[in-house]
Amino acid sequence: MDYEGNPIETVIQYSGMEWTILRPSEFMKNALYFLAESIQKEGIVRTGFPDALGVRIHEADIAAVAVKALTEEGHHGKIYALTGPQSLSNGMYCKITNFATC
């Protein structure tokens, strides 16, 4: 489900409670999970879309934003789209992390 028109978010927004919504992009851990087998067995990343761009974000970065949203003033009623620091293809990701060959 995409974020637009998400019925859960709508219920939260009209609940009468204070709320802040975090919308993270692709989780770094998920990317590593799906690439792990070919990296471990072959030292290579196998993907059908090597040039597709993604803005992976690490789970610790999501948690850091959540802590600020929960402990600092000014976040009620806000929606934050969370992304990694830059858009990377799988090929660029391989070069930067040096985990494997793409």
Side-chain angles (χ1 to χ4, degrees), residues 2 5 7-8 10 12 23 29 33 39 42 48 55 58 62 66 83 85-86 88-89 92-93:
D2 65 8
I8 295 169
T10 302
I12 291 168
R23 292 179 174 169
K29 184 98 174 173
Y33 173 79
I39 292 172
E42 306 171 74
V55 283
H58 195 277
I62 299 168
T83 68
Q86 79 184 92
L88 296 172
S89 69
M92 292 186 301
Y93 177 72

Side-chain angles (χ1 to χ4, degrees), residues 24-78:
S25 62
E26 181 182 5
F27 287 31
M28 181 63 74
K29 184 98 174 173
N30 289 351
L32 292 175
Y33 173 79
F34 290 115
L35 301 174
E37 186 176 354
S38 67
I39 292 172
Q40 291 171 348
K41 289 182 178 178
E42 306 171 74
I44 232 170
V45 170
R46 296 193 182 279
T47 177
F49 306 98
D51 297 323
L53 298 176
V55 283
R56 298 175 181 117
I57 184 167
H58 195 277
E59 297 75 23
D61 295 330
I62 299 168
V65 173
V67 166
K68 288 191 177 284
L70 291 169
T71 61
E72 296 178 358
E73 295 293 323
H75 299 286
H76 169 61
K78 303 273 174 104

